[in-house]
Amino acid sequence: MELQNFTIKQINRGLKAKEFSAKELTLAYFDKIKKTDNEIGAYLGLSENLALKQAELSDEKIKNNEEISELAGVPCGIKDNILVEGEKCTCASRMLENYIASYDAGCIKKLKESGAVILGKTNLDEFAFGSSCENSAFKVTKNPHDLSCVSGGSSGGSAAAVASDQACFALGTDTGCSVRTPASFCGVVGLKTTYGSVSRSGVIASASSLDQVGPLAKNVEDAEIIFNAISGKDPKDATSVEFKYEKLTKEKPFIIGVPREFFGKGLSKDVEKIIKNTITKIEDQGFKIQEISLPSTDFALACYYIIQTSEASANLARFDGIRYGFSKRDKENLLDVYMASRGQGFGIETKRRIMLGTYSLSSGYYDAYYKKAQEVRLLIKQDFINAFAKVDLIIGPVTPFPAFKIGEKASDPLSMYLADIYTVPINLAGVPAMSLPVGKIGKLPVGLQIIANHFEENKIFNIASIIEKIV
Ligand code: GLN
């Protein structure tokens, strides 16, 4: 077995037994990245100095027989919309092509304290707008299982890095699908965390009421270790919540809901078969499966794409060519500076979001679009409250289809948005959900979505580790 195949627990055991050093492990990863990433395109930049420094710190501790945490010396990739002090943070945008982060995001601070080794920054759709990683201004990240297919978005670089053993784990962000869809497409475990469970400080905002940081990992146990390390209150994020993760150590007799709206028109027969087979296997383990309804699912995409674009348009107003990033200052007046900087700094999907969002928020349309979407959001939340009064967990597909061909949906934004039909309700409700690999269609992996009530990630991890064994 190569070092890059090791899970977090295996790395921890190997380091403690002095079978290899953190530095050797880090170098092995860089070696792998240099051999394979030309083809896959998971990384936008590497942070070799930082990584080796972190690795040496762990090696020093081990040499002195000091206690090390489970993540000490473990190499990871970080989505390039999360700030790592002294490293570039581009958001895969020309606008921030040369921006260097001046501080660590809350989750990065925690990762560094736990001793994790940051290998580099991973590719994404520009400002995390997308489901395929094709909206990056710099490159398309390919799916390691089939290089002609997308890796999923927007955290495609993070998912592909883990799937191709170019990182032991990675962090992504999920606003409407962006940890779960790439995890499903690339066959890794991805968790969208409860809104408020992980700090958003230092995460470049896409849509602030929806964004959450989450882990992408080789298996359920690793994802749980990472979630435990990065979650909790951060005084720098007022929406973060005092939260102490408590692992459930015993199997529980969970009642599991299957929403009928997640199996309607548009779901590929092959994906449906894999998800239904998995449900049967879960039932065979003695879990009670119950059909439920999330009646507002039909409105979720429309509601999400109004709220997401509205918040995004407001968040992106700061990129004006004066305060941050790309600037065309050789103009006659201020308006021309704004127009040239934003016109050339942003890509096409980003401009589309700004225009849609600005429209929904403008006077005369606000009540008809933004306010209406907020009312629908309440209905969607209520669906989950009603469901979790009856069941412990909800399961269903992550996406209606597996990874698609590069270019297949790129020119048709509406068909791309449809990929998010089962994932956006979760962000609108603020609840946590995992994508767990449960099967393949040909070479392409398929994920099962496991959804829990707010702050009940422990239930997700508990059932996911059982399902992981039976599939
Ligand atoms: N696909 C969704 C969008 O384009 C979600 C992206 C995300 O979660 N960042 O907005």
Side-chain angles (χ1 to χ4, degrees):
M1 204 161 150
E2 288 184 352
L3 285 181
Q4 304 92 301
N5 300 122
F6 285 20
T7 64
I8 293 176
K9 278 262 165 82
Q10 288 168 332
I11 290 176
N12 190 255
R13 276 196 291 270
L15 287 174
K16 282 183 179 158
K18 303 196 168 81
E19 284 161 17
F20 49 85
S21 69
K23 190 172 172 186
E24 277 163 356
L25 181 66
T26 302
L27 290 172
Y29 267 101
F30 281 128
D31 196 43
K32 173 92 184 177
I33 293 168
K34 278 167 195 160
K35 282 196 188 113
T36 54
D37 207 41
N38 269 345
E39 201 165 46
I40 292 170
Y43 283 92
L44 289 175
L46 300 179
S47 45
E48 287 171 271
N49 291 340
L50 172 68
L52 288 171
K53 217 170 82 198
Q54 281 284 108
E56 276 160 15
L57 281 178
S58 290
D59 285 337
E60 200 53 35
K61 282 195 176 165
I62 295 162
K63 204 173 98 200
N64 298 333
N65 293 321
E66 285 174 46
E67 221 19 77
I68 56 163
S69 88
E70 273 177 313
L71 285 177
V74 180
C76 63
I78 305 293
K79 187 177 183 180
D80 204 22
N81 59 350
I82 302 175
L83 305 191
V84 177
E85 189 183 336
E87 302 297 326
K88 270 196 189 174
C89 192
T90 69
C91 264
S93 179
R94 294 264 170 240
M95 186 57 91
L96 291 174
E97 194 169 2
N98 298 309
Y99 174 70
I100 295 186
S102 54
Y103 65 100
D104 279 329
C107 56
I108 297 300
K109 234 185 186 161
K110 288 192 183 233
L111 276 191
K112 282 187 177 171
E113 278 161 17
S114 70
V117 169
I118 295 169
L119 299 170
K121 307 297 294 292
T122 56
N123 196 21
L124 64 151
D125 290 293
E126 185 177 22
F127 288 103
F129 303 150
S131 315
S132 67
C133 216
E134 292 167 290
N135 295 334
S136 166
F138 305 118
K139 57 179 161 186
V140 176
T141 299
K142 295 179 181 154
N143 192 310
H145 296 271
D146 179 344
L147 295 173
S148 67
C149 290
V150 300
S151 54
S154 62
S155 315
S158 288
V162 176
S164 58
D165 295 324
Q166 299 191 99
C168 176
F169 74 91
L171 292 188
T173 58
D174 192 314
T175 304
C177 75
S178 281
V179 165
R180 288 160 290 158
T181 294
S184 176
F185 286 5
C186 292
V188 300
V189 176
L191 179 74
K192 184 265 169 202
T193 56
T194 304
Y195 189 78
S197 63
V198 180
S199 169
R200 285 180 302 110
S201 161
V203 178
I204 297 181
S206 171
S208 312
S209 77
L210 301 160
D211 299 339
Q212 271 294 295
V213 173
L216 294 110
K218 286 186 198 295
N219 64 16
V220 174
E221 184 179 62
D222 282 7
E224 187 169 24
I225 293 170
I226 303 152
F227 176 65
N228 191 17
I230 62 173
S231 55
K233 176 82 188 160
D234 177 357
K236 290 194 174 140
D237 173 4
T239 61
S240 71
V241 170
E242 206 66 65
F243 168 71
K244 182 85 197 77
Y245 182 67
E246 272 172 42
K247 187 180 169 81
L248 295 176
T249 45
K250 290 207 179 72
E251 288 187 15
K252 303 269 184 213
F254 292 131
I255 301 175
I256 299 169
V258 178
R260 75 177 79 94
E261 292 79 5
F262 280 30
F263 292 85
K265 210 172 86 214
L267 176 62
S268 107
K269 287 279 161 263
D270 293 332
V271 172
E272 181 172 0
K273 202 165 129 202
I274 290 176
I275 300 300
K276 289 207 164 145
N277 274 341
T278 309
I279 293 172
T280 308
K281 285 185 193 160
I282 299 170
E283 204 166 17
D284 292 346
Q285 294 292 305
F287 291 100
K288 190 164 173 236
I289 304 282
Q290 194 175 310
E291 191 186 69
I292 59 160
S293 175
L294 298 170
S296 306
T297 303
D298 268 0
F299 312 118
L301 272 179
C303 171
Y304 171 85
Y305 275 96
I306 297 278
I307 293 176
Q308 197 281 338
T309 54
S310 298
E311 292 185 13
S313 71
N315 279 325
L316 266 56
R318 74 192 61 162
F319 302 108
D320 55 6
I322 304 292
R323 286 172 291 183
Y324 295 94
F326 182 78
S327 180
K328 291 301 274 177
R329 291 188 184 220
D330 52 341
K331 301 286 164 213
E332 296 264 299
N333 60 50
L334 187 60
L335 189 61
D336 286 348
V337 174
Y338 290 161
M339 295 214 296
S341 303
R342 290 166 70 81
Q344 292 170 43
F346 290 139
I348 188 166
E349 180 62 24
T350 302
K351 287 179 191 159
R352 182 180 291 122
R353 306 257 171 155
I354 293 171
M355 284 162 72
L356 281 170
T358 310
Y359 183 83
S360 308
L361 290 179
S362 50
S363 120
Y365 298 104
Y366 181 93
D367 285 339
Y369 295 104
Y370 183 72
K371 187 160 164 268
K372 190 57 124 199
Q374 289 292 14
E375 287 164 1
V376 174
R377 184 175 190 172
L378 278 182
L379 296 178
I380 292 168
K381 271 191 185 163
Q382 192 59 46
D383 277 2
F384 282 95
I385 293 171
N386 296 345
F388 286 123
K390 292 189 223 126
V391 300
D392 297 290
L393 293 155
I394 298 172
I395 56 175
V398 179
T399 52
F401 32 71
F404 41 89
K405 292 277 180 215
I406 293 171
E408 190 182 318
K409 295 181 193 292
S411 57
D412 182 359
L414 279 184
S415 79
M416 188 75 85
Y417 298 170
L418 280 174
D420 304 343
I421 183 149
Y422 311 129
T423 51
V424 295
I426 281 73
N427 302 69
L428 290 165
V431 294
M434 174 184 280
S435 173
L436 177 74
V438 290
K440 274 190 170 181
I441 302 170
K443 291 190 264 181
L444 295 171
V446 172
L448 172 78
Q449 185 165 218
I450 311 172
I451 310 160
N453 210 346
H454 298 104
F455 301 103
E456 292 190 340
E457 278 83 353
N458 52 3
K459 287 188 180 171
I460 297 182
F461 285 119
N462 189 282
I463 192 90
S465 58
I466 296 166
I467 304 172
E468 189 177 47
K469 279 185 210 119
I470 60 175
V471 297

